[in-house]
Amino acid sequence: MKILIADKLAQTVISELDSMGCEVIFDPSLDGDVLRQTIAEVNPQAVVVRSTRIAESHVRAGAGLTLIIRAGAGVNTIDLDAASARGVYVANCPGKNAVAVAELTWGHILNADRRIADNVEALRAGQWKKKTFSKGAQGMRGRTLGIIGLGAIGRAVLERGQAFGMSVVAFDPMLAELEAEAMGVTRVDSPAAVAAVSDVLTVHVGLSEATKGFIDAEVLGALKPGSIFVNTSRGPVVDEEALAAAIRRGVKAGLDVFCGEPNSEGDWSNTLVQMPGVYGTHHIGASTAEATEAVGSEVVRIVRTFQETGEVPNCVNLAVQVHASHLLVIRHADQVGVLAGVLDALRQAEINVQEMENIVFRGAKAACARIQVGRAPSAELMAEIDNAPTVFAVDLVALEES
């Protein structure tokens, strides 16, 4: 299997893939049109990226491209529609950088409360300001931590907040009441309700069309002056104008992500980072050796599983529901050409196959094919399939719409 790695990953990834017999091309400098040209020339079966963007042109460039692996959780940097249109699997590595992001989240929380960065800046400027920096810190014990999004990262933040002696309030549409109780979390019904009771509010949701601007003026307006807001998810999840308004009211912020982040190092500015009480970092949440190694191990697992079984763990672009109206169940002799004859008959009737599986019975003399089709075969076609000498029985089941 030929694999193109177009980003920096743990060195063990390359050696492990080599040991599996893969041909690995490693060039973390690839991007944009150069990446497209390389995919066209190398024609890999799999491309692995971390922060590098995969556009439609990249997907179309590889005739043999079958799998794209995002060495991280979010897949907003990959054109999923383009990959899906060409039958290219897209997999991610969810939860593997959760601890790293949670640790940076807590770095931002403690820094915003104790003004650690300002302390350092003053000392480097040759100033001693004990009286100044002794004021204003609230401390964490007994305070309320609000979490929006209780996936792997949110839960890692939760565990650390409880260790600090904080009570935790959370919003997650997938969080059940009993599950919240088991975790020691108070579950509320909206992000604004979380913000209204939080001394610290932190956000951990993926970026999608549904979550753009999710943290809006209503949510940020509910924060009380002196509270801390932290975003280590994605910049566009937050309405930055609404956040600026909250900061002007006295809300402090720790931000690792921003709207309009550049793709490479160099000059860059953002109004938020110039505001008093705002502390920014450079989208480094997942950038620890521990996270890099964990993500690398997951990349290797995905490739190994695909090589050995043809299945893709963590695939994010398969259809949730196929457009099949009927299930064709065919018990047949386990012989060469049986299914080919069935599929050819469906093709001639212009009936599209949506999904299919073939289960072989012990002894390998018989099998059962389950074929989901776009419309019901005619009685004549059913009879034609059933009359084949290698077919034992045929059943047709109407699928319920959901």
Side-chain angles (χ1 to χ4, degrees):
M1 184 174 182
K2 187 182 293 185
I3 302 173
L4 174 62
I5 300 177
D7 255 312
K8 291 182 179 179
L9 295 180
Q11 189 60 39
T12 54
V13 174
I14 299 173
S15 58
E16 288 190 52
L17 292 177
D18 281 338
S19 70
M20 290 160 49
C22 297
E23 179 185 347
V24 180
I25 300 96
F26 174 65
D27 188 346
S29 68
L30 295 175
D31 197 6
D33 197 51
V34 177
L35 174 59
R36 182 192 61 76
Q37 293 174 5
T38 303
I39 292 174
E41 293 168 4
V42 171
N43 193 24
Q45 289 173 273
V47 172
V48 183
V49 293
R50 186 175 178 183
S51 57
T52 300
R53 294 183 177 277
I54 297 292
E56 181 180 4
S57 61
H58 300 119
V59 176
R60 296 181 67 85
L65 182 61
T66 305
L67 172 64
I68 298 169
I69 302 176
R70 159 75 166 98
V75 290
N76 57 293
T77 55
I78 298 172
D79 191 328
L80 296 181
D81 290 338
S84 300
R86 290 183 65 85
V88 177
Y89 295 101
V90 178
N92 65 348
C93 303
K96 300 304 176 181
N97 57 16
V99 170
V101 178
E103 288 172 349
L104 182 67
T105 298
W106 273 101
H108 271 294
I109 292 170
L110 297 176
N111 171 70
D113 184 50
R114 304 304 293 269
R115 299 171 63 190
I116 297 171
D118 295 337
N119 275 259
V120 172
E121 185 178 27
L123 286 173
R124 286 180 173 170
Q127 298 177 329
W128 181 258
K129 293 186 172 182
K130 176 178 171 65
K131 183 183 249 185
T132 299
F133 293 124
S134 295
K135 300 175 182 177
Q138 299 297 313
M140 296 297 111
R141 185 179 178 184
R143 304 291 174 182
T144 298
L145 170 65
I147 303 176
I148 298 175
L150 270 181
I153 297 172
R155 294 182 187 217
V157 172
L158 159 67
E159 292 171 1
R160 287 150 181 79
Q162 290 172 328
F164 274 106
M166 302 183 79
S167 59
V168 182
V169 176
F171 168 79
D172 189 312
M174 304 303 293
L175 180 65
E177 189 65 43
L178 289 177
E179 187 181 13
E181 289 179 7
M183 291 189 293
V185 173
T186 300
R187 175 182 170 274
V188 296
D189 294 330
S190 72
V194 177
V197 297
S198 296
D199 297 297
V200 176
L201 179 65
T202 179
V203 182
H204 305 287
V205 299
L207 178 60
S208 66
E209 287 300 320
T211 61
K212 284 183 179 179
F214 186 64
I215 308 303
D216 57 14
E218 181 184 7
V219 178
L220 295 165
L223 288 169
K224 55 195 172 188
S227 60
I228 298 168
F229 173 77
V230 176
N231 184 18
T232 54
S233 59
R234 288 293 187 272
V237 166
V238 176
D239 181 335
E240 290 191 340
E241 289 187 9
L243 178 56
I247 292 164
R248 285 191 287 269
R249 291 191 298 104
V251 172
K252 293 178 282 188
L255 307 173
D256 185 49
V257 290
F258 304 89
C259 294
E261 291 177 13
N263 293 324
S264 58
E265 294 197 356
D267 294 338
W268 180 75
S269 63
N270 181 289
T271 303
L272 285 172
V273 297
Q274 306 299 327
M275 300 182 73
V278 176
Y279 301 91
T281 47
H282 302 247
H283 201 152
I284 58 170
S287 301
T288 67
E290 178 272 330
T292 299
E293 290 164 6
V295 169
S297 295
E298 185 69 354
V299 168
V300 172
R301 185 183 78 89
I302 292 169
V303 172
R304 179 181 290 111
T305 302
F306 182 60
Q307 273 194 313
E308 294 176 352
T309 70
E311 297 180 357
V312 179
N314 310 333
C315 187
V316 300
N317 64 327
L318 295 181
V320 176
Q321 178 184 356
V322 297
H323 302 287
S325 63
H326 290 76
L327 174 66
L328 192 60
V329 182
I330 305 172
R331 290 189 294 112
H332 62 92
D334 185 32
Q335 296 178 12
V336 174
V338 177
L339 289 181
V342 172
L343 294 175
D344 186 58
L346 292 172
R347 178 189 63 80
Q348 292 186 43
E350 297 184 344
I351 296 176
N352 191 35
V353 173
Q354 295 288 327
E355 283 189 357
M356 175 176 165
E357 65 174 342
N358 192 48
I359 303 167
V360 179
F361 290 88
R362 186 169 59 186
K365 293 183 177 180
C368 180
R370 296 167 55 86
I371 306 173
Q372 293 191 33
V373 292
R375 61 180 175 85
S378 65
E380 291 77 14
L381 179 55
M382 291 288 291
E384 178 186 340
I385 296 172
D386 194 23
N387 289 334
T390 51
V391 172
F392 304 143
V394 178
D395 291 301
L396 186 65
V397 180
L399 299 176
E400 293 183 3
E401 294 185 4
S402 60

